[in-house]
Amino acid sequence: MGVLPILPPPPLSMALGAALPSLTPENRLDMQIAAGFDPSVLPPLYFGEKPIFGMALNRSGLPPLNLGSMPMLLLAQTLSMLSDTFTLDDLPTLEMEMAEAAQSIESNVWPQLGRLTSFRMEPLLNFANIAQLTLDLQSMGIDPFAVDSFPSYPQASFPHFDFALTAPQVSMARIVAGIPNIMSLDKTLSLPPLSEPGSLELMYGYMSNLAAVTPPNLAIQFPELQKLALVIQSLDTIEEAFGPEAFGPWMLDRIETMLAVWNGFSMPLPPLEPLALNAKLDSLPPLEAIELGQEAAQEAAMAMVTLDSSFSPPELAITPFLNLTQALSGSFQKVLEIAPFDMCSHCPFA
Protein backbone atom coordinates (compact mmCIF):
# COMPACT_ATOMS: atom_id res chain seq x y z
CA MET A 1 0.00 0.00 0.00
CA GLY A 2 1.12 3.53 -0.73
CA VAL A 3 3.38 2.46 -3.61
CA LEU A 4 2.24 3.75 -6.99
CA PRO A 5 3.68 3.59 -10.50
CA ILE A 6 5.03 6.90 -11.80
CA LEU A 7 3.40 7.21 -15.20
CA PRO A 8 4.05 10.09 -17.60
CA PRO A 9 1.24 12.64 -17.84
CA PRO A 10 -1.43 11.99 -20.48
CA PRO A 11 -0.48 13.52 -23.85
CA LEU A 12 -2.34 16.64 -25.01
CA SER A 13 -3.32 14.66 -28.11
CA MET A 14 -5.24 12.22 -25.90
CA ALA A 15 -7.10 15.04 -24.14
CA LEU A 16 -7.83 16.74 -27.48
CA GLY A 17 -9.11 13.53 -29.03
CA ALA A 18 -11.55 13.08 -26.14
CA ALA A 19 -12.69 16.73 -26.27
CA LEU A 20 -13.24 17.37 -29.98
CA PRO A 21 -16.64 15.65 -30.39
CA SER A 22 -18.12 18.13 -27.89
CA LEU A 23 -16.73 21.06 -29.88
CA THR A 24 -18.51 20.56 -33.18
CA PRO A 25 -21.28 23.15 -33.76
CA GLU A 26 -24.04 20.55 -33.44
CA ASN A 27 -22.72 19.47 -30.03
CA ARG A 28 -21.59 22.81 -28.60
CA LEU A 29 -23.51 23.33 -25.34
CA ASP A 30 -22.79 27.07 -25.27
CA MET A 31 -24.34 27.48 -28.73
CA GLN A 32 -27.35 25.37 -27.74
CA ILE A 33 -27.89 27.52 -24.65
CA ALA A 34 -27.48 30.74 -26.65
CA ALA A 35 -30.05 29.51 -29.19
CA GLY A 36 -32.53 27.94 -26.80
CA PHE A 37 -32.30 30.18 -23.75
CA ASP A 38 -34.81 33.00 -24.27
CA PRO A 39 -35.23 35.42 -21.34
CA SER A 40 -38.29 36.90 -23.07
CA VAL A 41 -40.35 33.85 -22.03
CA LEU A 42 -39.38 34.30 -18.38
CA PRO A 43 -41.13 36.50 -15.89
CA PRO A 44 -39.04 39.52 -14.84
CA LEU A 45 -36.58 37.96 -12.38
CA TYR A 46 -35.44 39.89 -9.33
CA PHE A 47 -33.15 39.48 -6.37
CA GLY A 48 -34.68 42.04 -4.04
CA GLU A 49 -35.35 45.20 -6.04
CA LYS A 50 -32.67 44.54 -8.65
CA PRO A 51 -33.38 42.84 -11.99
CA ILE A 52 -30.95 39.99 -12.59
CA PHE A 53 -28.17 41.33 -14.79
CA GLY A 54 -30.60 43.64 -16.57
CA MET A 55 -31.89 40.66 -18.59
CA ALA A 56 -35.36 40.36 -17.05
CA LEU A 57 -37.70 41.36 -19.86
CA ASN A 58 -41.40 42.19 -19.60
CA ARG A 59 -42.39 40.85 -23.01
CA SER A 60 -43.52 37.56 -21.49
CA GLY A 61 -46.51 39.27 -19.87
CA LEU A 62 -45.92 37.30 -16.67
CA PRO A 63 -45.86 38.95 -13.24
CA PRO A 64 -42.42 39.46 -11.63
CA LEU A 65 -40.78 36.64 -9.71
CA ASN A 66 -38.66 37.70 -6.76
CA LEU A 67 -36.04 35.06 -5.90
CA GLY A 68 -35.18 36.70 -2.60
CA SER A 69 -31.39 36.75 -2.72
CA MET A 70 -28.47 34.88 -4.22
CA PRO A 71 -27.73 33.16 -0.86
CA MET A 72 -31.32 31.90 -0.95
CA LEU A 73 -30.73 30.30 -4.34
CA LEU A 74 -27.49 28.67 -3.16
CA LEU A 75 -29.12 27.38 0.03
CA ALA A 76 -32.03 25.92 -1.95
CA GLN A 77 -29.59 24.07 -4.22
CA THR A 78 -27.70 22.67 -1.22
CA LEU A 79 -30.85 21.53 0.60
CA SER A 80 -32.25 19.93 -2.54
CA MET A 81 -29.08 17.88 -2.98
CA LEU A 82 -28.85 16.87 0.67
CA SER A 83 -32.50 15.83 0.87
CA ASP A 84 -31.67 12.75 -1.24
CA THR A 85 -29.61 11.35 1.66
CA PHE A 86 -30.80 13.02 4.87
CA THR A 87 -34.18 13.65 6.50
CA LEU A 88 -34.19 17.44 6.46
CA ASP A 89 -37.85 17.82 7.36
CA ASP A 90 -37.55 16.14 10.78
CA LEU A 91 -34.84 17.59 13.01
CA PRO A 92 -34.68 14.76 15.62
CA THR A 93 -34.34 12.20 12.82
CA LEU A 94 -31.68 14.32 11.12
CA GLU A 95 -29.64 14.54 14.33
CA MET A 96 -29.90 10.76 14.77
CA GLU A 97 -28.75 10.17 11.16
CA MET A 98 -25.77 12.48 11.61
CA ALA A 99 -24.75 10.82 14.89
CA GLU A 100 -24.99 7.37 13.33
CA ALA A 101 -22.94 8.47 10.30
CA ALA A 102 -20.22 9.93 12.53
CA GLN A 103 -20.09 6.79 14.69
CA SER A 104 -19.92 4.52 11.65
CA ILE A 105 -17.13 6.57 10.06
CA GLU A 106 -15.02 6.25 13.20
CA SER A 107 -15.88 2.63 14.10
CA ASN A 108 -16.34 0.94 10.71
CA VAL A 109 -15.26 2.96 7.71
CA TRP A 110 -11.96 4.44 8.85
CA PRO A 111 -10.52 1.23 10.38
CA GLN A 112 -11.12 -0.57 7.07
CA LEU A 113 -10.26 2.15 4.57
CA GLY A 114 -8.15 4.74 6.35
CA ARG A 115 -4.95 3.01 5.17
CA LEU A 116 -5.76 4.13 1.62
CA THR A 117 -4.71 7.66 2.54
CA SER A 118 -1.08 6.43 2.48
CA PHE A 119 -1.14 6.74 -1.31
CA ARG A 120 0.82 9.61 -2.82
CA MET A 121 -1.80 11.78 -4.46
CA GLU A 122 0.12 13.21 -7.41
CA PRO A 123 0.86 9.92 -9.20
CA LEU A 124 -2.56 8.54 -8.24
CA LEU A 125 -4.45 11.51 -9.71
CA ASN A 126 -2.28 11.35 -12.84
CA PHE A 127 -3.11 7.64 -13.24
CA ALA A 128 -6.83 8.43 -12.69
CA ASN A 129 -6.67 11.19 -15.33
CA ILE A 130 -5.21 8.73 -17.84
CA ALA A 131 -7.96 6.26 -16.93
CA GLN A 132 -10.72 8.85 -17.38
CA LEU A 133 -9.43 9.87 -20.82
CA THR A 134 -9.28 6.18 -21.74
CA LEU A 135 -12.93 5.77 -20.73
CA ASP A 136 -13.93 8.94 -22.60
CA LEU A 137 -12.30 7.73 -25.81
CA GLN A 138 -13.83 4.26 -25.46
CA SER A 139 -17.29 5.85 -25.02
CA MET A 140 -16.77 7.46 -28.44
CA GLY A 141 -15.97 4.08 -30.01
CA ILE A 142 -12.20 4.67 -30.06
CA ASP A 143 -9.87 2.05 -28.63
CA PRO A 144 -7.00 4.18 -27.30
CA PHE A 145 -4.74 1.10 -27.21
CA ALA A 146 -5.31 0.25 -30.88
CA VAL A 147 -5.26 3.59 -32.76
CA ASP A 148 -2.28 4.27 -35.04
CA SER A 149 -3.03 7.92 -35.82
CA PHE A 150 -4.94 10.82 -34.34
CA PRO A 151 -8.72 10.25 -34.74
CA SER A 152 -9.94 11.80 -37.96
CA TYR A 153 -11.87 15.06 -37.58
CA PRO A 154 -12.10 17.38 -40.61
CA GLN A 155 -10.75 20.77 -39.56
CA ALA A 156 -13.80 22.35 -41.25
CA SER A 157 -15.90 20.83 -38.45
CA PHE A 158 -14.53 23.46 -36.06
CA PRO A 159 -15.23 26.95 -37.40
CA HIS A 160 -13.99 28.64 -34.22
CA PHE A 161 -13.36 28.08 -30.53
CA ASP A 162 -14.86 31.32 -29.23
CA PHE A 163 -17.17 30.88 -26.25
CA ALA A 164 -20.70 31.76 -27.40
CA LEU A 165 -21.99 33.14 -24.07
CA THR A 166 -21.23 36.37 -22.25
CA ALA A 167 -20.50 36.31 -18.50
CA PRO A 168 -24.02 37.66 -17.68
CA GLN A 169 -25.57 34.96 -19.88
CA VAL A 170 -23.59 32.26 -18.07
CA SER A 171 -24.74 33.64 -14.71
CA MET A 172 -28.33 33.88 -15.93
CA ALA A 173 -28.24 30.29 -17.20
CA ARG A 174 -26.98 29.03 -13.82
CA ILE A 175 -29.62 31.03 -11.95
CA VAL A 176 -32.45 29.77 -14.16
CA ALA A 177 -31.18 26.18 -13.81
CA GLY A 178 -31.41 26.61 -10.02
CA ILE A 179 -34.96 28.00 -9.92
CA PRO A 180 -36.65 24.54 -9.56
CA ASN A 181 -34.73 24.05 -6.29
CA ILE A 182 -36.18 27.28 -4.88
CA MET A 183 -39.67 26.42 -6.05
CA SER A 184 -39.46 22.94 -4.48
CA LEU A 185 -38.24 24.13 -1.07
CA ASP A 186 -41.72 23.49 0.34
CA LYS A 187 -41.50 19.82 -0.69
CA THR A 188 -37.87 19.49 0.49
CA LEU A 189 -38.88 20.69 3.98
CA SER A 190 -42.40 19.14 3.95
CA LEU A 191 -44.08 22.54 4.27
CA PRO A 192 -47.23 23.93 2.65
CA PRO A 193 -46.90 25.14 -0.96
CA LEU A 194 -45.08 28.46 -1.22
CA SER A 195 -48.10 30.01 -2.88
CA GLU A 196 -50.25 29.51 0.24
CA PRO A 197 -50.60 32.34 2.78
CA GLY A 198 -48.17 32.02 5.68
CA SER A 199 -46.02 29.35 4.03
CA LEU A 200 -43.01 31.64 3.63
CA GLU A 201 -43.01 32.46 7.34
CA LEU A 202 -43.11 28.73 8.15
CA MET A 203 -40.20 28.08 5.79
CA TYR A 204 -38.07 30.87 7.23
CA GLY A 205 -38.85 29.67 10.77
CA TYR A 206 -37.87 26.11 9.92
CA MET A 207 -34.60 27.30 8.38
CA SER A 208 -33.81 29.15 11.60
CA ASN A 209 -34.42 25.94 13.57
CA LEU A 210 -32.23 24.04 11.11
CA ALA A 211 -29.46 26.59 11.63
CA ALA A 212 -29.50 25.83 15.37
CA VAL A 213 -28.62 22.15 14.79
CA THR A 214 -24.95 21.38 15.42
CA PRO A 215 -22.93 18.68 13.66
CA PRO A 216 -21.60 15.72 15.66
CA ASN A 217 -17.99 15.67 16.80
CA LEU A 218 -15.76 13.66 14.50
CA ALA A 219 -12.31 12.52 15.62
CA ILE A 220 -11.06 12.19 12.02
CA GLN A 221 -10.18 15.47 10.35
CA PHE A 222 -12.25 16.53 7.34
CA PRO A 223 -9.17 16.86 5.04
CA GLU A 224 -8.28 13.22 5.73
CA LEU A 225 -11.80 12.08 4.88
CA GLN A 226 -11.79 14.21 1.72
CA LYS A 227 -8.48 12.63 0.73
CA LEU A 228 -9.90 9.17 1.36
CA ALA A 229 -12.91 9.89 -0.84
CA LEU A 230 -10.63 11.15 -3.63
CA VAL A 231 -8.41 8.07 -3.39
CA ILE A 232 -11.41 5.73 -3.62
CA GLN A 233 -12.88 7.63 -6.56
CA SER A 234 -9.51 7.55 -8.35
CA LEU A 235 -9.00 3.83 -7.75
CA ASP A 236 -12.53 3.16 -8.98
CA THR A 237 -11.88 5.08 -12.21
CA ILE A 238 -8.57 3.24 -12.73
CA GLU A 239 -10.19 -0.17 -12.21
CA GLU A 240 -13.09 0.69 -14.51
CA ALA A 241 -10.68 1.66 -17.29
CA PHE A 242 -7.98 -1.01 -16.89
CA GLY A 243 -9.56 -3.81 -14.86
CA PRO A 244 -8.53 -5.41 -11.56
CA GLU A 245 -4.93 -5.90 -12.84
CA ALA A 246 -4.48 -2.17 -13.44
CA PHE A 247 -1.40 -2.06 -11.21
CA GLY A 248 0.15 -5.25 -12.62
CA PRO A 249 3.39 -5.04 -14.65
CA TRP A 250 1.78 -6.24 -17.89
CA MET A 251 -0.98 -3.62 -17.80
CA LEU A 252 1.39 -0.83 -16.77
CA ASP A 253 3.67 -1.66 -19.73
CA ARG A 254 0.62 -1.57 -22.00
CA ILE A 255 -0.48 1.81 -20.64
CA GLU A 256 3.01 3.30 -21.07
CA THR A 257 3.09 2.04 -24.66
CA MET A 258 -0.33 3.62 -25.30
CA LEU A 259 0.86 6.99 -23.93
CA ALA A 260 4.00 6.85 -26.05
CA VAL A 261 1.93 6.19 -29.19
CA TRP A 262 -0.39 9.13 -28.48
CA ASN A 263 2.62 11.34 -27.81
CA GLY A 264 3.78 10.61 -31.35
CA PHE A 265 0.56 11.72 -33.07
CA SER A 266 0.52 14.96 -35.03
CA MET A 267 -2.58 16.96 -34.14
CA PRO A 268 -4.79 18.62 -36.77
CA LEU A 269 -4.95 21.87 -34.77
CA PRO A 270 -3.24 23.50 -31.77
CA PRO A 271 -4.78 21.96 -28.63
CA LEU A 272 -4.82 24.87 -26.15
CA GLU A 273 -7.82 26.81 -27.49
CA PRO A 274 -10.14 23.79 -27.90
CA LEU A 275 -9.15 22.37 -24.50
CA ALA A 276 -9.77 25.74 -22.82
CA LEU A 277 -13.19 25.93 -24.49
CA ASN A 278 -13.99 22.37 -23.41
CA ALA A 279 -13.24 23.28 -19.78
CA LYS A 280 -15.75 26.16 -20.01
CA LEU A 281 -18.39 23.87 -21.52
CA ASP A 282 -17.91 21.37 -18.69
CA SER A 283 -18.79 24.10 -16.16
CA LEU A 284 -22.18 24.93 -17.74
CA PRO A 285 -25.50 23.56 -16.46
CA PRO A 286 -27.19 21.07 -18.80
CA LEU A 287 -29.59 22.54 -21.33
CA GLU A 288 -32.37 20.38 -19.88
CA ALA A 289 -31.89 21.99 -16.44
CA ILE A 290 -32.21 25.48 -17.98
CA GLU A 291 -35.37 24.49 -19.83
CA LEU A 292 -36.86 23.06 -16.62
CA GLY A 293 -35.92 26.29 -14.85
CA GLN A 294 -37.73 28.39 -17.41
CA GLU A 295 -40.86 26.28 -17.00
CA ALA A 296 -40.63 26.43 -13.19
CA ALA A 297 -40.23 30.22 -13.28
CA GLN A 298 -43.30 30.64 -15.47
CA GLU A 299 -45.39 28.38 -13.23
CA ALA A 300 -44.16 30.17 -10.10
CA ALA A 301 -44.97 33.58 -11.55
CA MET A 302 -48.50 32.44 -12.45
CA ALA A 303 -48.91 31.22 -8.86
CA MET A 304 -47.66 34.64 -7.64
CA VAL A 305 -44.86 33.13 -5.52
CA THR A 306 -42.61 35.88 -4.15
CA LEU A 307 -39.84 35.36 -1.64
CA ASP A 308 -39.01 37.93 1.00
CA SER A 309 -36.06 39.88 -0.37
CA SER A 310 -35.24 41.13 3.12
CA PHE A 311 -34.80 37.60 4.46
CA SER A 312 -31.15 36.57 4.73
CA PRO A 313 -30.97 32.76 4.99
CA PRO A 314 -28.97 31.60 8.00
CA GLU A 315 -25.63 29.83 7.87
CA LEU A 316 -26.13 26.12 8.52
CA ALA A 317 -23.43 24.71 10.79
CA ILE A 318 -24.26 21.19 9.64
CA THR A 319 -23.70 21.83 5.92
CA PRO A 320 -19.98 20.87 5.76
CA PHE A 321 -20.62 17.61 7.63
CA LEU A 322 -23.67 16.73 5.51
CA ASN A 323 -21.93 17.59 2.23
CA LEU A 324 -18.88 15.49 3.08
CA THR A 325 -20.92 12.56 4.38
CA GLN A 326 -23.09 12.52 1.27
CA ALA A 327 -20.05 12.72 -0.99
CA LEU A 328 -18.48 9.78 0.84
CA SER A 329 -21.57 7.61 0.96
CA GLY A 330 -21.59 6.28 -2.59
CA SER A 331 -17.84 5.59 -2.70
CA PHE A 332 -17.85 3.84 0.66
CA GLN A 333 -20.85 1.70 -0.16
CA LYS A 334 -19.21 0.45 -3.35
CA VAL A 335 -16.01 -0.53 -1.54
CA LEU A 336 -17.58 -1.95 1.63
CA GLU A 337 -20.55 -3.50 -0.24
CA ILE A 338 -22.82 -2.54 2.66
CA ALA A 339 -24.49 0.69 3.69
CA PRO A 340 -21.54 2.60 5.20
CA PHE A 341 -23.51 4.72 7.66
CA ASP A 342 -25.97 2.09 8.86
CA MET A 343 -24.56 0.67 12.11
CA CYS A 344 -26.89 -2.32 11.97
CA SER A 345 -25.42 -3.48 8.66
CA HIS A 346 -22.00 -3.85 10.33
CA CYS A 347 -23.25 -5.94 13.23
CA PRO A 348 -22.02 -9.58 13.02
CA PHE A 349 -25.28 -10.74 14.58
CA ALA A 350 -27.52 -8.97 12.03
Side-chain angles (χ1 to χ4, degrees), residues 14 65 97 154 166 179 293 310 339:
M14 201 171 179
L65 179 61
E97 290 172 343
T166 65
I179 287 176
S310 65

Side-chain angles (χ1 to χ4, degrees), residues 79-211:
L79 293 178
S80 176
M81 179 183 68
L82 293 174
S83 65
D84 292 336
T85 305
F86 296 97
T87 307
L88 298 179
D89 57 354
D90 186 307
L91 297 187
T93 301
L94 175 62
E95 291 178 306
M96 181 191 68
E97 290 172 343
M98 290 194 299
E100 187 175 63
Q103 184 182 358
S104 186
I105 288 173
E106 293 178 353
S107 303
N108 301 316
V109 174
W110 190 256
Q112 295 186 65
L113 303 180
R115 61 195 173 87
L116 295 178
T117 57
S118 63
F119 276 127
R120 289 177 55 203
M121 293 306 295
E122 187 175 350
L124 177 65
L125 294 178
N126 182 60
F127 199 174
N129 191 16
I130 295 168
Q132 187 58 61
L133 288 173
T134 299
L135 293 171
D136 292 343
L137 289 165
Q138 289 172 341
S139 71
M140 294 154 41
I142 298 172
D143 183 352
F145 290 100
V147 294
D148 54 11
S149 62
F150 189 86
S152 177
Y153 296 103
Q155 194 160 356
S157 301
F158 311 101
H160 65 83
F161 297 105
D162 299 327
F163 194 51
L165 299 172
T166 65
Q169 285 175 318
V170 172
S171 298
M172 187 71 168
R174 289 174 178 158
I175 288 168
V176 172
I179 287 176
N181 293 323
I182 279 191
M183 296 303 107
S184 63
L185 266 176
D186 53 351
K187 299 180 182 66
T188 299
L189 302 177
S190 295
L191 297 172
L194 293 179
S195 56
E196 291 187 5
S199 62
L200 290 177
E201 288 75 11
L202 286 173
M203 182 178 70
Y204 299 150
Y206 194 84
M207 285 185 180
S208 297
N209 293 334
L210 195 60

Side-chain angles (χ1 to χ4, degrees), residues 10-18 20 149-153 155 158 261-275:
L12 285 177
S13 57
M14 201 171 179
L16 183 63
L20 284 181
S149 62
F150 189 86
S152 177
Y153 296 103
Q155 194 160 356
F158 311 101
V261 169
W262 278 87
N263 259 322
F265 290 161
S266 60
M267 290 177 278
L269 42 86
L272 296 185
E273 272 194 282
L275 290 178

Side-chain angles (χ1 to χ4, degrees), residues 283-299:
S283 70
L284 293 172
L287 185 63
E288 297 80 6
I290 296 173
E291 292 170 343
L292 288 173
Q294 290 186 138
E295 293 176 9
Q298 294 170 29
E299 293 169 4

